[in-house]
Amino acid sequence: MTPGIRRALPWAVIAFWAAALAVCAPSAIHLTSVQTDSAVDYLPSSADSTRVASVQAELPGSDATRLELVYHRAGGLTRADRVVAGQQVDRVVSGQHLDASPTPRVSHDGTTEVYLISTTAAGSGDEAQDALVDSAREQVNGAHGLTARVTGPAALRSDTGAVFGSIDLTLVIATALVVAVLLVLTYRSPLLWFFPLLSVGVAAITTRGIVYGLVQWTGLTVTGQSGGIMTVLVFGAGTDYALLLVSRYREELRRVRRPYDAMRAALRGCGPALLASGGTVVAGLLCLLAAGLNSSRGLGPVGAVGVLCALAAMTTLLPALLVVLGRRVFWPLVPVYGSEPHAPRRGRRTFFAAVGARAGRRPAAVLAGGAVLLGALALGSLDGPGTLGQLDGFTSPPESVAALRTADAAFPGGQGDPIPVVTATPRAQQALDAARATPGVGSARATRSGKGWTELLVLPRAAPGSAAETTTVTTLRAHEGRVPGTYVGGTIAQRLDQQSTDARDLRIVVPLVLAVVLLILGALLRSVVAPLILVAAVAAVWAAALGIGSLLFGHVLGFAGTDPSLPLLTFVFLVALGVDYGIFLMHRTREERARGATADGAVLAALRTTGGVIASAGIVLAATFSVLTTLPLVMMVETGLVIAVGVLLDTFLVRTWLVTSASLLLGDRLWWPGTTRHATRPQQARAGEHTAA
């Protein structure tokens, strides 16, 4: 290649990414506006609770804004409290078109008073309803022991939207800071850390722009959860790829004079492994397209786009930036042409060399001990909390949730959360009789009809959110199932539908992910045994991480339950991302064996030379996912915690000790039915392909 092309190509690549950034940035800003975070948006359209919500949206009065003003005093409301409440309610409804005059509902113990307000003045738009909620909260105030809060469907939606709306900016800032600190510590350079971070930032913006386009063109479901995970995944995976590439590039700079040629050699050396690992993650994520839950199915292509953009940026934009800047970007530890890398002092071994030596002395004992430890950790899942309720999804409950809990406690028997049932109007009386005959139902009545449908509201006797209420909903569904065209919805029904859909997805997606990953690994490693070892290892990591997480959720963090989608999402991510590190380790083991090393020597050399960079990558990935634990949503905290714990287990226990021990025990049988081919090239030529940790 001519010198002119060598000089122009990096600048052309940088210009291409600048153009891509200019195109995608305007769309990236609007991604939050197309996210959907209501419970029914997560569920498949075939779920009963989703059908109920769809019918309710078509009935008269569906555009009404419904608020509940909750007044509470622990020792009992006073006459002055009721006067204050009445005055505040009057100010809230002033100028509104009310469906009915708001009359107070007082609890039996006299501690709580609730006003129901339904108005069509605000309109059905989210912004108009948010404005009404804000206006109501300005008027509703408590003092001197009286608490006054605004809740209801509109307030819940407004509070949830505010939480999810703040996630993106929080995640980007927190993740960028974490990655920046880790890169500075890793590279020990005041300059080098900035360019991987810049590249991954460009990848993140490009990803958001592309995903926004997919939502517009295909109707893809993007939730706050999938958007947040996408951001973390781009930063985590992109930084991992940068660590591996820069490590190889630094080594090539010591033996190649020109940075351009050194980068070509680095990409030629580690590029196939990067492409294979990125392809594995993408394939694993796309398996989520088989999921029935909208939120899980949408996460598949969203995450896949993020990984592809991160991989593209780290193999094109980052190399171009590093080539343009030359060796000086590594200052003060500049890799001088012809120099040798720093070696440990005489008599001292690196950490991973010491680990390999210890594992090599008693591989069977190490493998058995590690398996027992992982199995014991996995048993923690048996002692975890139950399923997360809809009102338990916030680490710090917003005003609407706190008010609902106050109302639920004051009005036992489900009066605060009636169960909606929709039925074909000709069968309304039959459905009403079935509801009244259901054990656990206190009362049932028809409320509104339209477009061939009638809505029933059913009040259970059980306390809201209790196991007895869940039993009542299940029994009600069985009774109403005998009436054709009748569906049961509501909060409990939505939770039951999500649980059943998640259970179905777990049965379908998990085997699909395992099969896809095994096929990719088999083709890449040309072996049957090695892929089985790697997949078994990451599956054990997932089980152990889920067990640790379950214990922490209930006994340490005090969460009321676990998100139903947690097992599936963490499995996909831990398997896909964990196999990444296995690819690097096994690929290097096979390379060392082909160079003429003994079977044991190849395993130990692979651990010694790749252990450091894999450990750095694992720490970065765990740290980026742990950023999710700072968010005010329980499902995000749980997801981030399990994945971070799993990555650390995989990096420092399973990948380092157990896979190494299993490889030492198997020897060349690790590559069955393939074989390793011994190289005959001179040692000097082989040294040029060495990858430093």
Side-chain angles (χ1 to χ4, degrees), residues 533-581:
I533 295 293
L534 293 179
V535 170
V538 292
V541 165
W542 167 72
L546 206 58
I548 295 173
S550 296
L551 292 174
L552 292 175
F553 300 153
H555 297 290
V556 178
L557 300 177
F559 293 159
T562 57
D563 188 74
S565 62
L566 182 69
L568 176 64
L569 296 185
T570 53
F571 178 86
V572 171
F573 279 101
L574 285 177
V575 169
L577 296 171
V579 164
D580 257 15
Y581 302 145

mmCIF file of all heavy atoms in Angstrom, residues 533-581:
data_model
loop_
_atom_site.group_PDB
_atom_site.id
_atom_site.type_symbol
_atom_site.label_atom_id
_atom_site.label_comp_id
_atom_site.label_asym_id
_atom_site.label_seq_id
_atom_site.Cartn_x
_atom_site.Cartn_y
_atom_site.Cartn_z
ATOM 1 N N ILE A 533 -17.443 -27.806 27.358
ATOM 2 C CA ILE A 533 -16.813 -27.324 28.591
ATOM 3 C C ILE A 533 -17.155 -25.856 28.826
ATOM 4 O O ILE A 533 -17.535 -25.444 29.938
ATOM 5 C CB ILE A 533 -15.285 -27.507 28.522
ATOM 6 C CG1 ILE A 533 -14.918 -28.991 28.473
ATOM 7 C CG2 ILE A 533 -14.601 -26.826 29.702
ATOM 8 C CD1 ILE A 533 -15.239 -29.745 29.728
ATOM 9 N N LEU A 534 -17.036 -25.044 27.783
ATOM 10 C CA LEU A 534 -17.287 -23.608 27.933
ATOM 11 C C LEU A 534 -18.746 -23.321 28.273
ATOM 12 O O LEU A 534 -19.045 -22.496 29.153
ATOM 13 C CB LEU A 534 -16.893 -22.876 26.656
ATOM 14 C CG LEU A 534 -15.408 -22.856 26.307
ATOM 15 C CD1 LEU A 534 -15.184 -22.110 25.003
ATOM 16 C CD2 LEU A 534 -14.596 -22.217 27.424
ATOM 17 N N VAL A 535 -19.666 -23.993 27.585
ATOM 18 C CA VAL A 535 -21.090 -23.740 27.834
ATOM 19 C C VAL A 535 -21.494 -24.235 29.218
ATOM 20 O O VAL A 535 -22.265 -23.574 29.931
ATOM 21 C CB VAL A 535 -21.943 -24.401 26.733
ATOM 22 C CG1 VAL A 535 -23.418 -24.367 27.101
ATOM 23 C CG2 VAL A 535 -21.727 -23.694 25.402
ATOM 24 N N ALA A 536 -20.985 -25.395 29.623
ATOM 25 C CA ALA A 536 -21.275 -25.888 30.972
ATOM 26 C C ALA A 536 -20.751 -24.913 32.020
ATOM 27 O O ALA A 536 -21.398 -24.677 33.063
ATOM 28 C CB ALA A 536 -20.658 -27.268 31.171
ATOM 29 N N ALA A 537 -19.595 -24.315 31.756
ATOM 30 C CA ALA A 537 -19.005 -23.373 32.704
ATOM 31 C C ALA A 537 -19.876 -22.132 32.860
ATOM 32 O O ALA A 537 -20.160 -21.694 33.986
ATOM 33 C CB ALA A 537 -17.602 -22.986 32.245
ATOM 34 N N VAL A 538 -20.312 -21.552 31.749
ATOM 35 C CA VAL A 538 -21.110 -20.324 31.855
ATOM 36 C C VAL A 538 -22.500 -20.618 32.414
ATOM 37 O O VAL A 538 -23.089 -19.772 33.106
ATOM 38 C CB VAL A 538 -21.204 -19.599 30.491
ATOM 39 C CG1 VAL A 538 -19.859 -19.055 30.077
ATOM 40 C CG2 VAL A 538 -21.763 -20.508 29.411
ATOM 41 N N ALA A 539 -23.052 -21.806 32.140
ATOM 42 C CA ALA A 539 -24.342 -22.164 32.734
ATOM 43 C C ALA A 539 -24.218 -22.283 34.256
ATOM 44 O O ALA A 539 -25.104 -21.850 35.003
ATOM 45 C CB ALA A 539 -24.853 -23.473 32.136
ATOM 46 N N ALA A 540 -23.103 -22.866 34.718
ATOM 47 C CA ALA A 540 -22.868 -22.959 36.165
ATOM 48 C C ALA A 540 -22.690 -21.579 36.780
ATOM 49 O O ALA A 540 -23.153 -21.318 37.900
ATOM 50 C CB ALA A 540 -21.637 -23.828 36.428
ATOM 51 N N VAL A 541 -22.031 -20.686 36.065
ATOM 52 C CA VAL A 541 -21.872 -19.309 36.538
ATOM 53 C C VAL A 541 -23.234 -18.645 36.694
ATOM 54 O O VAL A 541 -23.507 -17.972 37.698
ATOM 55 C CB VAL A 541 -20.989 -18.509 35.559
ATOM 56 C CG1 VAL A 541 -21.116 -17.014 35.820
ATOM 57 C CG2 VAL A 541 -19.543 -18.929 35.693
ATOM 58 N N TRP A 542 -24.096 -18.821 35.719
ATOM 59 C CA TRP A 542 -25.437 -18.224 35.777
ATOM 60 C C TRP A 542 -26.207 -18.722 36.996
ATOM 61 O O TRP A 542 -26.803 -17.932 37.733
ATOM 62 C CB TRP A 542 -26.196 -18.551 34.495
ATOM 63 C CG TRP A 542 -27.663 -18.252 34.579
ATOM 64 C CD1 TRP A 542 -28.257 -17.035 34.590
ATOM 65 C CD2 TRP A 542 -28.725 -19.217 34.687
ATOM 66 N NE1 TRP A 542 -29.625 -17.166 34.683
ATOM 67 C CE2 TRP A 542 -29.943 -18.489 34.739
ATOM 68 C CE3 TRP A 542 -28.768 -20.605 34.720
ATOM 69 C CZ2 TRP A 542 -31.174 -19.122 34.841
ATOM 70 C CZ3 TRP A 542 -30.004 -21.239 34.817
ATOM 71 C CH2 TRP A 542 -31.192 -20.500 34.879
ATOM 72 N N ALA A 543 -26.197 -20.030 37.224
ATOM 73 C CA ALA A 543 -26.930 -20.588 38.359
ATOM 74 C C ALA A 543 -26.385 -20.052 39.683
ATOM 75 O O ALA A 543 -27.144 -19.695 40.589
ATOM 76 C CB ALA A 543 -26.859 -22.114 38.326
ATOM 77 N N ALA A 544 -25.051 -19.990 39.796
ATOM 78 C CA ALA A 544 -24.440 -19.494 41.032
ATOM 79 C C ALA A 544 -24.730 -18.009 41.237
ATOM 80 O O ALA A 544 -25.044 -17.568 42.354
ATOM 81 C CB ALA A 544 -22.934 -19.736 40.995
ATOM 82 N N ALA A 545 -24.634 -17.210 40.170
ATOM 83 C CA ALA A 545 -24.901 -15.771 40.284
ATOM 84 C C ALA A 545 -26.355 -15.519 40.662
ATOM 85 O O ALA A 545 -26.661 -14.617 41.461
ATOM 86 C CB ALA A 545 -24.562 -15.069 38.974
ATOM 87 N N LEU A 546 -27.265 -16.305 40.097
ATOM 88 C CA LEU A 546 -28.681 -16.155 40.435
ATOM 89 C C LEU A 546 -28.920 -16.524 41.896
ATOM 90 O O LEU A 546 -29.727 -15.880 42.586
ATOM 91 C CB LEU A 546 -29.524 -17.035 39.516
ATOM 92 C CG LEU A 546 -30.969 -16.609 39.258
ATOM 93 C CD1 LEU A 546 -31.026 -15.217 38.651
ATOM 94 C CD2 LEU A 546 -31.649 -17.611 38.338
ATOM 95 N N GLY A 547 -28.208 -17.546 42.387
ATOM 96 C CA GLY A 547 -28.334 -17.912 43.794
ATOM 97 C C GLY A 547 -27.822 -16.823 44.721
ATOM 98 O O GLY A 547 -28.468 -16.487 45.725
ATOM 99 N N ILE A 548 -26.663 -16.257 44.394
ATOM 100 C CA ILE A 548 -26.126 -15.157 45.205
ATOM 101 C C ILE A 548 -27.083 -13.967 45.181
ATOM 102 O O ILE A 548 -27.382 -13.351 46.211
ATOM 103 C CB ILE A 548 -24.739 -14.741 44.693
ATOM 104 C CG1 ILE A 548 -23.730 -15.876 44.888
ATOM 105 C CG2 ILE A 548 -24.248 -13.486 45.412
ATOM 106 C CD1 ILE A 548 -22.383 -15.602 44.259
ATOM 107 N N GLY A 549 -27.569 -13.645 43.996
ATOM 108 C CA GLY A 549 -28.486 -12.523 43.867
ATOM 109 C C GLY A 549 -29.757 -12.722 44.670
ATOM 110 O O GLY A 549 -30.236 -11.798 45.348
ATOM 111 N N SER A 550 -30.316 -13.930 44.635
ATOM 112 C CA SER A 550 -31.553 -14.198 45.367
ATOM 113 C C SER A 550 -31.369 -13.985 46.860
ATOM 114 O O SER A 550 -32.244 -13.433 47.542
ATOM 115 C CB SER A 550 -32.012 -15.637 45.095
ATOM 116 O OG SER A 550 -32.337 -15.810 43.728
ATOM 117 N N LEU A 551 -30.234 -14.418 47.390
ATOM 118 C CA LEU A 551 -29.965 -14.209 48.816
ATOM 119 C C LEU A 551 -29.819 -12.724 49.146
ATOM 120 O O LEU A 551 -30.328 -12.244 50.165
ATOM 121 C CB LEU A 551 -28.692 -14.961 49.214
ATOM 122 C CG LEU A 551 -28.778 -16.495 49.175
ATOM 123 C CD1 LEU A 551 -27.415 -17.105 49.460
ATOM 124 C CD2 LEU A 551 -29.800 -17.002 50.183
ATOM 125 N N LEU A 552 -29.136 -11.991 48.277
ATOM 126 C CA LEU A 552 -28.941 -10.566 48.519
ATOM 127 C C LEU A 552 -30.247 -9.791 48.401
ATOM 128 O O LEU A 552 -30.505 -8.867 49.184
ATOM 129 C CB LEU A 552 -27.912 -10.008 47.537
ATOM 130 C CG LEU A 552 -26.472 -10.499 47.710
ATOM 131 C CD1 LEU A 552 -25.587 -9.945 46.595
ATOM 132 C CD2 LEU A 552 -25.913 -10.084 49.067
ATOM 133 N N PHE A 553 -31.091 -10.160 47.441
ATOM 134 C CA PHE A 553 -32.329 -9.420 47.223
ATOM 135 C C PHE A 553 -33.218 -9.448 48.462
ATOM 136 O O PHE A 553 -33.763 -8.421 48.874
ATOM 137 C CB PHE A 553 -33.109 -10.001 46.041
ATOM 138 C CG PHE A 553 -32.364 -9.967 44.742
ATOM 139 C CD1 PHE A 553 -32.644 -10.888 43.742
ATOM 140 C CD2 PHE A 553 -31.376 -9.025 44.512
ATOM 141 C CE1 PHE A 553 -31.953 -10.867 42.547
ATOM 142 C CE2 PHE A 553 -30.675 -9.000 43.319
ATOM 143 C CZ PHE A 553 -30.968 -9.933 42.332
ATOM 144 N N GLY A 554 -33.388 -10.628 49.041
ATOM 145 C CA GLY A 554 -34.311 -10.750 50.156
ATOM 146 C C GLY A 554 -33.711 -10.404 51.498
ATOM 147 O O GLY A 554 -34.341 -9.712 52.316
ATOM 148 N N HIS A 555 -32.477 -10.865 51.757
ATOM 149 C CA HIS A 555 -31.911 -10.759 53.101
ATOM 150 C C HIS A 555 -31.078 -9.498 53.318
ATOM 151 O O HIS A 555 -30.874 -9.088 54.457
ATOM 152 C CB HIS A 555 -31.054 -11.987 53.396
ATOM 153 C CG HIS A 555 -31.830 -13.276 53.401
ATOM 154 N ND1 HIS A 555 -32.734 -13.590 54.385
ATOM 155 C CD2 HIS A 555 -31.857 -14.310 52.530
ATOM 156 C CE1 HIS A 555 -33.276 -14.772 54.133
ATOM 157 N NE2 HIS A 555 -32.766 -15.225 53.011
ATOM 158 N N VAL A 556 -30.555 -8.916 52.250
ATOM 159 C CA VAL A 556 -29.690 -7.741 52.400
ATOM 160 C C VAL A 556 -30.384 -6.482 51.888
ATOM 161 O O VAL A 556 -30.468 -5.470 52.587
ATOM 162 C CB VAL A 556 -28.347 -7.953 51.662
ATOM 163 C CG1 VAL A 556 -27.480 -6.703 51.779
ATOM 164 C CG2 VAL A 556 -27.608 -9.172 52.226
ATOM 165 N N LEU A 557 -30.890 -6.537 50.672
ATOM 166 C CA LEU A 557 -31.488 -5.350 50.065
ATOM 167 C C LEU A 557 -32.953 -5.171 50.438
ATOM 168 O O LEU A 557 -33.514 -4.090 50.238
ATOM 169 C CB LEU A 557 -31.345 -5.429 48.538
ATOM 170 C CG LEU A 557 -29.901 -5.493 48.029
ATOM 171 C CD1 LEU A 557 -29.872 -5.650 46.512
ATOM 172 C CD2 LEU A 557 -29.129 -4.244 48.440
ATOM 173 N N GLY A 558 -33.585 -6.219 50.930
ATOM 174 C CA GLY A 558 -34.965 -6.103 51.389
ATOM 175 C C GLY A 558 -35.989 -5.959 50.279
ATOM 176 O O GLY A 558 -37.076 -5.407 50.509
ATOM 177 N N PHE A 559 -35.705 -6.464 49.081
ATOM 178 C CA PHE A 559 -36.668 -6.391 47.992
ATOM 179 C C PHE A 559 -37.833 -7.349 48.266
ATOM 180 O O PHE A 559 -37.652 -8.430 48.846
ATOM 181 C CB PHE A 559 -36.016 -6.756 46.655
ATOM 182 C CG PHE A 559 -34.990 -5.754 46.195
ATOM 183 C CD1 PHE A 559 -34.020 -6.109 45.270
ATOM 184 C CD2 PHE A 559 -34.991 -4.462 46.674
ATOM 185 C CE1 PHE A 559 -33.078 -5.204 44.835
ATOM 186 C CE2 PHE A 559 -34.052 -3.535 46.249
ATOM 187 C CZ PHE A 559 -33.089 -3.909 45.329
ATOM 188 N N ALA A 560 -39.019 -6.967 47.819
ATOM 189 C CA ALA A 560 -40.205 -7.785 48.052
ATOM 190 C C ALA A 560 -40.278 -8.993 47.126
ATOM 191 O O ALA A 560 -41.085 -9.894 47.356
ATOM 192 C CB ALA A 560 -41.466 -6.928 47.877
ATOM 193 N N GLY A 561 -39.467 -9.037 46.080
ATOM 194 C CA GLY A 561 -39.496 -10.157 45.145
ATOM 195 C C GLY A 561 -38.484 -9.955 44.034
ATOM 196 O O GLY A 561 -37.742 -8.969 44.011
ATOM 197 N N THR A 562 -38.452 -10.903 43.114
ATOM 198 C CA THR A 562 -37.578 -10.805 41.950
ATOM 199 C C THR A 562 -38.416 -10.615 40.701
ATOM 200 O O THR A 562 -39.544 -11.122 40.606
ATOM 201 C CB THR A 562 -36.709 -12.077 41.791
ATOM 202 O OG1 THR A 562 -37.570 -13.227 41.695
ATOM 203 C CG2 THR A 562 -35.786 -12.255 42.970
ATOM 204 N N ASP A 563 -37.871 -9.906 39.745
ATOM 205 C CA ASP A 563 -38.576 -9.666 38.493
ATOM 206 C C ASP A 563 -38.727 -10.988 37.741
ATOM 207 O O ASP A 563 -37.759 -11.759 37.638
ATOM 208 C CB ASP A 563 -37.800 -8.664 37.645
ATOM 209 C CG ASP A 563 -38.574 -8.236 36.420
ATOM 210 O OD1 ASP A 563 -39.522 -7.451 36.568
ATOM 211 O OD2 ASP A 563 -38.235 -8.704 35.311
ATOM 212 N N PRO A 564 -39.912 -11.303 37.190
ATOM 213 C CA PRO A 564 -40.114 -12.585 36.525
ATOM 214 C C PRO A 564 -39.183 -12.822 35.340
ATOM 215 O O PRO A 564 -38.864 -13.970 35.012
ATOM 216 C CB PRO A 564 -41.579 -12.528 36.070
ATOM 217 C CG PRO A 564 -42.225 -11.528 36.967
ATOM 218 C CD PRO A 564 -41.165 -10.523 37.277
ATOM 219 N N SER A 565 -38.732 -11.755 34.675
ATOM 220 C CA SER A 565 -37.878 -11.918 33.500
ATOM 221 C C SER A 565 -36.402 -12.044 33.849
ATOM 222 O O SER A 565 -35.570 -12.237 32.960
ATOM 223 C CB SER A 565 -38.067 -10.736 32.543
ATOM 224 O OG SER A 565 -37.689 -9.519 33.172
ATOM 225 N N LEU A 566 -36.054 -11.960 35.135
ATOM 226 C CA LEU A 566 -34.650 -11.970 35.540
ATOM 227 C C LEU A 566 -33.907 -13.241 35.121
ATOM 228 O O LEU A 566 -32.801 -13.151 34.574
ATOM 229 C CB LEU A 566 -34.547 -11.761 37.052
ATOM 230 C CG LEU A 566 -33.122 -11.704 37.623
ATOM 231 C CD1 LEU A 566 -32.419 -10.435 37.159
ATOM 232 C CD2 LEU A 566 -33.150 -11.749 39.150
ATOM 233 N N PRO A 567 -34.434 -14.444 35.366
ATOM 234 C CA PRO A 567 -33.676 -15.651 34.976
ATOM 235 C C PRO A 567 -33.341 -15.694 33.492
ATOM 236 O O PRO A 567 -32.208 -16.015 33.115
ATOM 237 C CB PRO A 567 -34.604 -16.801 35.382
ATOM 238 C CG PRO A 567 -35.453 -16.233 36.470
ATOM 239 C CD PRO A 567 -35.671 -14.799 36.082
ATOM 240 N N LEU A 568 -34.303 -15.360 32.638
ATOM 241 C CA LEU A 568 -34.058 -15.444 31.201
ATOM 242 C C LEU A 568 -33.028 -14.420 30.745
ATOM 243 O O LEU A 568 -32.067 -14.760 30.037
ATOM 244 C CB LEU A 568 -35.364 -15.243 30.439
ATOM 245 C CG LEU A 568 -35.237 -15.219 28.910
ATOM 246 C CD1 LEU A 568 -34.745 -16.560 28.394
ATOM 247 C CD2 LEU A 568 -36.553 -14.848 28.253
ATOM 248 N N LEU A 569 -33.201 -13.164 31.133
ATOM 249 C CA LEU A 569 -32.297 -12.114 30.651
ATOM 250 C C LEU A 569 -30.874 -12.333 31.153
ATOM 251 O O LEU A 569 -29.910 -12.190 30.386
ATOM 252 C CB LEU A 569 -32.804 -10.744 31.094
ATOM 253 C CG LEU A 569 -34.155 -10.302 30.517
ATOM 254 C CD1 LEU A 569 -34.478 -8.878 30.942
ATOM 255 C CD2 LEU A 569 -34.179 -10.416 29.003
ATOM 256 N N THR A 570 -30.731 -12.687 32.416
ATOM 257 C CA THR A 570 -29.380 -12.902 32.937
ATOM 258 C C THR A 570 -28.735 -14.126 32.296
ATOM 259 O O THR A 570 -27.522 -14.148 32.083
ATOM 260 C CB THR A 570 -29.408 -13.058 34.465
ATOM 261 O OG1 THR A 570 -30.348 -14.074 34.835
ATOM 262 C CG2 THR A 570 -29.789 -11.746 35.125
ATOM 263 N N PHE A 571 -29.523 -15.145 31.985
ATOM 264 C CA PHE A 571 -28.959 -16.320 31.315
ATOM 265 C C PHE A 571 -28.391 -15.940 29.948
ATOM 266 O O PHE A 571 -27.261 -16.297 29.611
ATOM 267 C CB PHE A 571 -30.026 -17.405 31.154
ATOM 268 C CG PHE A 571 -29.532 -18.628 30.439
ATOM 269 C CD1 PHE A 571 -28.891 -19.640 31.135
ATOM 270 C CD2 PHE A 571 -29.684 -18.770 29.064
ATOM 271 C CE1 PHE A 571 -28.417 -20.768 30.480
ATOM 272 C CE2 PHE A 571 -29.221 -19.881 28.401
ATOM 273 C CZ PHE A 571 -28.574 -20.886 29.114
ATOM 274 N N VAL A 572 -29.180 -15.221 29.168
ATOM 275 C CA VAL A 572 -28.733 -14.854 27.822
ATOM 276 C C VAL A 572 -27.452 -14.027 27.888
ATOM 277 O O VAL A 572 -26.487 -14.276 27.148
ATOM 278 C CB VAL A 572 -29.851 -14.089 27.079
ATOM 279 C CG1 VAL A 572 -29.328 -13.511 25.760
ATOM 280 C CG2 VAL A 572 -31.032 -15.007 26.811
ATOM 281 N N PHE A 573 -27.414 -13.053 28.775
ATOM 282 C CA PHE A 573 -26.245 -12.177 28.842
ATOM 283 C C PHE A 573 -25.024 -12.899 29.398
ATOM 284 O O PHE A 573 -23.912 -12.758 28.871
ATOM 285 C CB PHE A 573 -26.555 -10.931 29.677
ATOM 286 C CG PHE A 573 -27.289 -9.883 28.907
ATOM 287 C CD1 PHE A 573 -28.656 -9.721 29.059
ATOM 288 C CD2 PHE A 573 -26.638 -9.058 28.019
ATOM 289 C CE1 PHE A 573 -29.349 -8.770 28.339
ATOM 290 C CE2 PHE A 573 -27.310 -8.092 27.294
ATOM 291 C CZ PHE A 573 -28.675 -7.951 27.452
ATOM 292 N N LEU A 574 -25.196 -13.677 30.450
ATOM 293 C CA LEU A 574 -24.035 -14.342 31.041
ATOM 294 C C LEU A 574 -23.483 -15.429 30.126
ATOM 295 O O LEU A 574 -22.263 -15.620 30.050
ATOM 296 C CB LEU A 574 -24.407 -14.929 32.402
ATOM 297 C CG LEU A 574 -24.536 -13.903 33.527
ATOM 298 C CD1 LEU A 574 -24.988 -14.570 34.813
ATOM 299 C CD2 LEU A 574 -23.212 -13.178 33.755
ATOM 300 N N VAL A 575 -24.348 -16.140 29.427
ATOM 301 C CA VAL A 575 -23.859 -17.154 28.490
ATOM 302 C C VAL A 575 -23.156 -16.493 27.312
ATOM 303 O O VAL A 575 -22.029 -16.850 26.945
ATOM 304 C CB VAL A 575 -25.014 -18.051 28.010
ATOM 305 C CG1 VAL A 575 -24.572 -18.919 26.839
ATOM 306 C CG2 VAL A 575 -25.500 -18.943 29.150
ATOM 307 N N ALA A 576 -23.817 -15.504 26.702
ATOM 308 C CA ALA A 576 -23.233 -14.870 25.517
ATOM 309 C C ALA A 576 -21.942 -14.129 25.846
ATOM 310 O O ALA A 576 -20.932 -14.260 25.141
ATOM 311 C CB ALA A 576 -24.250 -13.909 24.894
ATOM 312 N N LEU A 577 -21.949 -13.356 26.942
ATOM 313 C CA LEU A 577 -20.754 -12.590 27.299
ATOM 314 C C LEU A 577 -19.670 -13.477 27.890
ATOM 315 O O LEU A 577 -18.476 -13.263 27.665
ATOM 316 C CB LEU A 577 -21.124 -11.487 28.286
ATOM 317 C CG LEU A 577 -22.072 -10.404 27.745
ATOM 318 C CD1 LEU A 577 -22.539 -9.489 28.867
ATOM 319 C CD2 LEU A 577 -21.396 -9.592 26.655
ATOM 320 N N GLY A 578 -20.057 -14.494 28.667
ATOM 321 C CA GLY A 578 -19.070 -15.390 29.250
ATOM 322 C C GLY A 578 -18.344 -16.210 28.216
ATOM 323 O O GLY A 578 -17.136 -16.461 28.330
ATOM 324 N N VAL A 579 -19.055 -16.639 27.207
ATOM 325 C CA VAL A 579 -18.422 -17.411 26.135
ATOM 326 C C VAL A 579 -17.383 -16.573 25.401
ATOM 327 O O VAL A 579 -16.402 -17.096 24.882
ATOM 328 C CB VAL A 579 -19.501 -17.948 25.174
ATOM 329 C CG1 VAL A 579 -18.894 -18.413 23.860
ATOM 330 C CG2 VAL A 579 -20.251 -19.100 25.831
ATOM 331 N N ASP A 580 -17.596 -15.249 25.386
ATOM 332 C CA ASP A 580 -16.593 -14.347 24.799
ATOM 333 C C ASP A 580 -15.200 -14.628 25.342
ATOM 334 O O ASP A 580 -14.241 -14.813 24.590
ATOM 335 C CB ASP A 580 -16.956 -12.891 25.151
ATOM 336 C CG ASP A 580 -17.577 -12.185 23.976
ATOM 337 O OD1 ASP A 580 -17.980 -12.867 23.032
ATOM 338 O OD2 ASP A 580 -17.653 -10.952 24.011
ATOM 339 N N TYR A 581 -15.094 -14.646 26.671
ATOM 340 C CA TYR A 581 -13.793 -14.852 27.296
ATOM 341 C C TYR A 581 -13.279 -16.262 27.038
ATOM 342 O O TYR A 581 -12.076 -16.487 26.902
ATOM 343 C CB TYR A 581 -13.884 -14.584 28.800
ATOM 344 C CG TYR A 581 -14.359 -13.195 29.136
ATOM 345 C CD1 TYR A 581 -15.152 -12.943 30.242
ATOM 346 C CD2 TYR A 581 -14.023 -12.123 28.323
ATOM 347 C CE1 TYR A 581 -15.585 -11.663 30.545
ATOM 348 C CE2 TYR A 581 -14.444 -10.842 28.607
ATOM 349 C CZ TYR A 581 -15.235 -10.616 29.721
ATOM 350 O OH TYR A 581 -15.661 -9.343 30.000
#
